[in-house]
Amino acid sequence: MAGCGSALCGCCPRCCGERESRTPEELTILGETHEEEDEILPRKDYESLDYDRCINDPYLEVLESMDNKKARRYEAVKWVMVFAIGVCTGLVGLFVDFFVQLFTQLKFQIVQNSVEECTEKGCLALSLLELLGFNLTFVFLASLLVLIQPVAAGSGIPEIKCYLNGVKVPGVVRLRTVVCKAMGVLFSVAGGLFVGKEGPMIHSGAVVGAGLPQFQSISLRKIQFNFPYFRSDRDKRDFVSAGAAAGVAAAFGAPIGGTLFSLEEGSSFWNQGLTWKVLFCSMAATFTLNFFRSGIQFGSWGSFQLPGLLNFGEFKCSESDKKCHLWTAVDLGFFILMGIVGGLLGATFNCLNKRLAKYRMRNVHPKPKLVRVLESLLVALTTTVVVFVASMVLGECRQLSSTSHSGNGTLSLQSMSEDVNSSIKTFFCPNETYNDMATLFFNPQESAILQLFHQDGTFSPVTLSLFFLLYFLLSCWTYGISVPSGLFVPSLLCGAAFGRLVANLLKSYIGLDHIYSGTFALIGAAAFLGGVVRMTISLTVILIESTNEITYGLPIMITLMVAKWTGDFFNKGIYDIHVNLRGVPLLEWETEVEMDKLRASDIMEPNLTYVYPHTRIQSLVSILRTTVHHAFPVVTENRGNEREFMKGNQLISNNIKFKKSSILTRAGEQRKRSQSMKSYPSSELRNMCDEHITTEEPPEKEDLLQQMLERRYTPYPNLYPDQSPSEEWTMEERFRPLTFHGMILRSQLVTLLVRGVCYSESQSSASQPRLSHAEMLEDYPRYPDIHDLDLTLLNPRMIVDVTPYMNPSPFAVSPNTHVSQVFNLFRTMGLRHLPVVNAVGEIVGIITRHNLTHEFLQARLRQHYQTI
């Protein structure tokens, strides 16, 4: 974005010169790359969600008709939808888990048999080719699914985090996305990539939450139900919160952790009722998945033995070891040090992955899509070769404390669970020993985690070091390629190897024989995962629920806090980094203290595009076609009382002076409007106007568009021509104060035009047709576009009364409001537009999400210091 090839300066050298001469503040506002820091600034093309209710006349009619019985019915339907979202999310998790196990077991069984045969015959290259054939095929299919729906790549957590923060990410909650995500992630995991299936479950649950209550789909247009409920961004976003929490609950068997994840990482607006619904949805997902997995795997339907896709097993000391404790107070010191190291390792991981992501953005993404597929295949090829060679060459044969043969090259320990027993690999090792590297690499990731947590045998420090290094580098390279991929499980496995290495070193070189290796593996996993994702509350509860051991609460919490504080000293969490790389205007929890030196008047947008309560159709069409704004203030001009205000209260007088200080800005807005009319597709409007004038007023032969262009200061004439400014008016008279009456959305204006809601000059506004609340929301979530509107069906001289459909009581702030107050109001109430209104009810500016991003506030703060 920083070069002359960008969309903003690719037209000519002159434009490039202007680009190079722009100030950092202008670059911030435009959303371009800051060349010195090479940072991608928030883009202006991301829309916000309309979380705030529009309290207009149609909505009030619904409230008046709502009695207690209807309210209870509406609430009951919402609870049913929440339960259905949880059940469907659990079924998606069941689908992914079943086929991942099927494909993985098939692959490893065939390759393992080949390795055993080729060990004697000397044909290990053939075994490697078989493994490559499986992995490359699976990864190729995963990449093809991402080509169908690009937003299905990655874990999806950054996109869902943006959505819950109030940003509309295109295609993130479509049915096609969840299909490509669910099918793609099973191929990615089965293809041997160092990715997890748990992260994409969060995205899948969110998509289910967004789509199921709508009872319609863009991908399946024939599926349409007349379901009038939940037709708003507010309800949809609440259901997405529930679906994301259900995804966490299904992945880790942690319904409380899922609820806290949705609260901590996503939603900016929360209440008690939403908490209950999200928790209920998480419980439904957990027990749905548990019911089916327990029945399929153990044949014991209703036993509920497998709560999530990832289960850490039971941490328990051997009964023969009376001195063993899961952890002691002395171990807390080691846990804190491990948290520091985990934070450093996480910061390193994030830094390397950020550089890789920037490289992909510059060198891979601009090229044909086939290049992304080739990159995924290259990563799969490298990973497969590393896994095979490391398992065959770098492993050591380790002695088991108590062994029994189970056949097929696999040993089992009586003191371990069946999963741990069946995953011990004996490649090239004699009886009663096992290959420690092959046991970690030549198994599904979940099995390797269980080995590190619960294996009574030992892993060589050299093996653990090499495994950690290889897994660290390959998982860092893998996250970000064009396949659905999660990061939770690779981070847990990498951290578990680090923790197990620490335990081995403490036992071997310090002589701490009493420590429990599984505890250190768990703390290492928490430290590394916390250093990468920087989650605290929700991750603590998720890990506690996954271990089913409340005594681990304190060490896990302390480790995660230390890891987060250490990592935050260097960079942000991995999800926040990828959000910033996409240029999404994400709002943090609060602003910096220094930002309170700014006021609302310092950050607002003073160039207003407004409509009058009664506006001609030609004016509305022109406004909608020549601007990209999604909301417009409804105003009337304030004439005849300015001198009285000036003579009256001093505060009011100051507000009038403040309004006059923006006269030049308003003049520029008027000139911009008049210039935009020249590029307007005038042939349509001229032909339309000529047709209507010919039929309605043949004698006059007027061209309305020509009149509008000749009146350069009033390209949008209001209802009464005698009130239009005359050429003799002074600048001060021309830009009189605008009394603020409310806000109306672009979607509402387009809906009014499409449905012909208007009246003629010879009639009163009472004759205008009225739309119900359901009719206003019928086209949700994809309203018609103004450029698709057939102008021949509209009479440009007709008038639209927008007052019944505008929001007459939106949240508003004073120009002197501190930025911290503006930020808290905007974020906590989930606003999209925040008008700035002075003491006498005149609108002087408007604040949107882009005016509250950290980069924009930093730029305005620099301007503030320059003017002092």
Side-chain angles (χ1 to χ4, degrees):
M1 296 176 65
C4 288
S6 67
L8 292 174
C9 61
C11 52
C12 61
R14 176 174 171 270
C15 296
C16 290
E18 293 178 357
R19 162 67 175 84
E20 294 174 355
S21 63
R22 290 193 180 113
T23 64
E25 291 77 16
E26 292 173 333
L27 295 178
T28 301
I29 296 172
L30 292 172
E32 298 182 22
T33 302
H34 196 297
E35 294 181 356
E36 296 179 359
E37 301 177 356
D38 197 26
E39 293 293 333
I40 298 176
L41 302 177
R43 288 162 44 186
K44 299 281 287 183
D45 56 342
Y46 278 106
E47 301 178 24
S48 296
L49 299 174
D50 292 308
Y51 196 70
D52 188 27
R53 288 192 178 95
C54 181
I55 313 296
N56 53 17
D57 288 355
Y59 183 80
L60 293 177
E61 291 174 0
V62 173
L63 289 182
E64 291 176 359
S65 63
M66 180 78 69
D67 54 15
N68 292 334
K69 185 177 180 180
K70 290 183 178 180
R72 287 193 297 268
R73 183 191 307 161
Y74 179 83
E75 191 68 13
V77 173
K78 182 174 289 189
W79 279 96
V80 171
M81 287 293 103
V82 166
F83 177 76
I85 291 170
V87 172
C88 291
T89 303
L91 294 177
V92 172
L94 178 68
F95 168 81
V96 173
D97 180 70
F98 177 81
F99 282 100
V100 165
Q101 287 190 7
L102 180 65
F103 293 154
T104 304
Q105 290 175 0
L106 175 65
K107 178 184 71 174
F108 279 128
Q109 183 178 1
I110 294 176
V111 175
Q112 183 172 322
N113 293 336
S114 175
V115 169
E116 293 173 357
E117 294 179 3
C118 290
T119 301
E120 301 176 356
K121 298 179 180 179
C123 58
L124 286 178
L126 180 60
S127 302
L128 175 59
L129 290 177
E130 291 179 356
L131 185 60
L132 280 172
F134 277 109
N135 289 347
L136 293 180
T137 301
F138 288 145
V139 173
F140 178 72
L141 294 175
S143 298
L144 289 183
L145 290 168
V146 170
L147 292 184
I148 297 174
Q149 187 68 6
V151 77
S155 66
I157 295 179
E159 290 82 359
I160 296 304
K161 184 174 181 177
C162 295
Y163 190 92
L164 295 179
N165 193 261
V167 181
K168 186 181 297 184
V169 181
V172 72
V173 290
R174 293 187 59 181
L175 175 63
R176 184 188 302 173
T177 302
V178 72
V179 172
C180 294
K181 194 83 173 186
M183 296 184 64
V185 73
L186 68 89
F187 287 127
S188 298
V189 176
L193 293 176
F194 291 169
V195 298
K197 58 180 179 292
E198 284 72 17
M201 275 300 303
I202 301 172
H203 189 184
S204 301
V207 178
V208 172
L212 187 61
Q214 301 297 314
F215 283 95
Q216 64 178 11
S217 172
I218 300 299
S219 302
L220 303 175
R221 298 183 182 274
K222 294 184 179 180
I223 300 179
Q224 298 286 340
F225 295 93
N226 186 16
F227 192 71
Y229 299 105
F230 317 128
R231 311 290 292 169
S232 67
D233 283 344
R234 186 183 186 89
D235 290 325
K236 190 173 184 178
R237 187 168 155 196
D238 288 346
F239 286 129
V240 170
S241 299
V248 177
F252 298 97
I256 300 176
T259 303
L260 292 176
F261 172 86
S262 187
L263 171 62
E264 178 185 8
E265 289 297 310
S267 301
S268 57
F269 179 83
W270 202 265
N271 57 36
Q272 184 180 11
L274 184 58
T275 304
W276 269 109
K277 293 180 179 64
V278 171
L279 180 59
F280 181 64
C281 185
S282 300
M283 287 290 184
T286 300
F287 285 96
T288 298
L289 181 63
N290 200 343
F291 175 80
F292 284 101
R293 288 190 73 209
S294 300
I296 293 174
Q297 188 161 339
F298 297 109
S300 178
W301 296 91
S303 60
F304 299 105
Q305 301 178 41
L306 297 172
L309 299 180
L310 179 64
N311 186 15
F312 293 162
E314 182 181 5
F315 288 80
K316 184 179 180 181
C317 288
S318 174
E319 296 180 358
S320 61
D321 190 356
K322 302 299 181 182
K323 297 182 180 180
C324 175
H325 298 282
L326 292 182
W327 66 279
T328 63
V330 178
D331 297 335
L332 284 176
F334 296 110
F335 296 160
I336 292 174
L337 293 177
M338 291 175 66
I340 295 174
V341 176
L344 295 174
L345 292 173
T348 305
F349 184 96
N350 294 352
C351 180
L352 294 176
N353 189 262
K354 181 179 180 180
R355 292 181 178 275
L356 280 171
K358 287 186 175 180
Y359 177 83
R360 290 188 178 106
M361 293 173 64
R362 290 192 298 264
N363 301 286
V364 178
H365 293 175
K367 294 182 180 180
K369 293 182 179 181
L370 182 61
V371 177
R372 305 185 190 184
V373 178
L374 294 177
E375 184 197 16
S376 302
L377 294 177
L378 175 62
V379 174
L381 174 65
T382 305
T383 303
T384 304
V385 173
V386 168
V387 167
F388 191 87
V389 173
S391 300
M392 301 300 130
V393 177
L394 301 180
E396 295 185 15
C397 296
R398 311 294 297 180
Q399 187 72 34
L400 291 174
S401 58
S402 174
T403 61
S404 62
H405 294 276
S406 61
N408 296 327
T410 303
L411 298 176
S412 67
L413 269 175
Q414 296 176 352
S415 59
M416 293 189 300
S417 65
E418 182 179 350
D419 289 338
V420 177
N421 294 338
S422 61
S423 59
I424 299 175
K425 304 301 179 184
T426 61
F427 295 154
F428 309 113
C429 290
N431 293 335
E432 298 185 359
T433 60
Y434 69 99
N435 187 324
D436 56 356
M437 184 68 81
T439 299
L440 295 177
F441 264 136
F442 227 77
N443 267 314
Q445 296 175 99
E446 290 81 0
S447 299
I449 291 176
L450 290 177
Q451 286 288 343
L452 292 170
F453 283 171
H454 303 293
Q455 172 63 271
D456 286 345
T458 59
F459 291 89
S460 165
V462 176
T463 297
L464 290 173
S465 300
L466 290 174
F467 176 82
F468 173 81
L469 180 62
L470 294 174
Y471 217 94
F472 180 94
L473 296 176
L474 288 174
S475 60
C476 183
W477 185 21
T478 304
Y479 188 73
I481 63 175
S482 293
V483 296
S485 58
L487 194 60
F488 272 91
V489 172
S491 298
L492 287 171
L493 181 52
C494 202
F498 158 66
R500 189 72 183 237
L501 175 62
V502 172
N504 284 6
L505 295 177
L506 291 177
K507 284 185 176 182
S508 302
Y509 297 98
I510 302 181
L512 299 178
D513 296 329
H514 71 280
I515 63 175
Y516 184 66
S517 299
T519 298
F520 277 77
L522 175 65
I523 296 302
F528 186 80
L529 181 59
V532 172
V533 301
R534 312 289 164 78
M535 293 161 52
T536 52
I537 303 174
S538 58
L539 188 55
T540 300
V541 178
I542 288 172
L543 293 178
I544 293 174
E545 289 185 281
S546 299
T547 58
N548 198 24
E549 185 61 61
I550 191 62
T551 58
Y552 281 137
L554 180 62
I556 288 176
M557 182 175 63
I558 291 176
T559 303
L560 288 175
M561 289 173 58
V562 173
K564 174 179 169 55
W565 292 339
T566 304
D568 285 344
F569 186 79
F570 298 97
N571 50 33
K572 293 184 178 181
I574 188 67
Y575 300 134
D576 292 322
I577 287 175
H578 281 265
V579 167
N580 293 336
L581 290 176
R582 289 177 172 85
V584 180
L586 192 75
L587 299 184
E588 302 294 338
W589 279 103
E590 57 186 9
T591 60
E592 298 176 357
V593 177
E594 193 179 21
M595 296 303 173
D596 257 353
K597 297 177 182 179
L598 300 175
R599 307 295 177 94
S601 57
D602 298 320
I603 65 171
M604 68 182 185
E605 177 60 48
N607 297 329
L608 299 175
T609 302
Y610 50 85
V611 298
Y612 297 108
H614 299 262
T615 309
R616 293 188 188 276
I617 285 181
Q618 63 186 19
S619 297
L620 291 180
V621 171
S622 180
I623 289 174
L624 294 172
R625 286 203 165 189
T626 56
T627 64
V628 294
H629 307 314
H630 289 272
F632 305 92
V634 181
V635 303
T636 55
E637 296 182 2
N638 189 5
R639 292 193 177 90
N641 55 359
E642 191 173 45
R643 292 184 179 180
E644 294 180 9
F645 287 154
M646 294 296 292
K647 294 177 182 178
N649 187 287
Q650 185 63 34
L651 176 61
I652 298 178
S653 176
N654 291 338
N655 284 325
I656 294 294
K657 292 178 181 178
F658 175 81
K659 178 64 179 176
K660 288 184 176 181
S661 66
S662 65
I663 285 178
L664 295 179
T665 303
R666 301 253 327 270
E669 171 68 8
Q670 293 284 14
R671 285 194 294 271
K672 184 178 69 173
R673 289 183 178 185
S674 62
Q675 290 296 325
S676 67
M677 288 301 299
K678 295 180 181 179
S679 60
Y680 182 82
S682 57
S683 58
E684 297 181 11
L685 188 58
R686 181 177 287 110
N687 295 337
M688 178 189 64
C689 295
D690 291 342
E691 179 182 350
H692 285 288
I693 293 169
T694 303
T695 57
E696 296 180 8
E697 300 179 11
E700 296 184 6
K701 303 284 186 182
E702 288 185 316
D703 190 335
L704 295 182
L705 178 62
Q706 187 62 32
Q707 289 184 2
M708 292 164 64
L709 292 176
E710 290 175 354
R711 274 190 239 147
R712 56 178 300 193
Y713 294 108
T714 58
Y716 306 132
N718 67 4
L719 177 59
Y720 305 105
D722 58 332
Q723 292 185 0
S724 299
S726 64
E727 295 295 333
E728 291 77 20
W729 280 16
T730 63
M731 185 70 71
E732 181 175 332
E733 290 174 329
R734 186 177 308 283
F735 299 103
R736 294 181 182 275
L738 300 174
T739 301
F740 179 65
H741 296 284
M743 295 286 294
I744 190 162
L745 302 177
R746 168 182 287 268
S747 59
Q748 294 172 329
L749 290 176
V750 175
T751 299
L752 296 179
L753 294 175
V754 169
R755 295 183 176 271
V757 179
C758 56
Y759 67 96
S760 63
E761 288 182 289
S762 60
Q763 298 173 327
S764 66
S765 59
S767 63
Q768 177 175 278
R770 298 295 297 270
L771 295 182
S772 65
H773 185 66
E775 290 173 327
M776 290 291 295
L777 300 177
E778 185 176 347
D779 295 322
Y780 178 85
R782 289 173 176 79
Y783 293 99
D785 188 82
I786 186 62
H787 296 283
D788 299 331
L789 192 63
D790 188 359
L791 296 178
T792 60
L793 302 178
L794 299 175
N795 184 346
R797 301 182 64 87
M798 297 290 282
I799 302 161
V800 179
D801 180 8
V802 302
T803 54
Y805 307 100
M806 70 178 185
N807 185 1
S809 55
F811 289 97
V813 294
S814 164
N816 294 321
T817 306
H818 289 277
V819 163
S820 62
Q821 295 174 287
V822 175
F823 187 90
N824 291 334
L825 175 64
F826 195 97
R827 193 186 193 282
T828 56
M829 300 311 299
L831 304 181
R832 186 174 184 180
H833 306 90
L834 184 61
V836 182
V837 181
N838 63 16
V840 292
E842 299 160 357
I843 184 168
V844 295
I846 196 166
I847 295 174
T848 64
R849 170 178 296 270
H850 300 278
N851 301 105
L852 294 172
T853 59
H854 176 75
E855 293 78 7
F856 188 92
L857 294 179
Q858 285 283 0
R860 290 306 169 96
L861 187 62
R862 288 194 293 266
Q863 288 182 345
H864 173 77
Y865 285 137
Q866 293 173 0
T867 57
I868 295 179

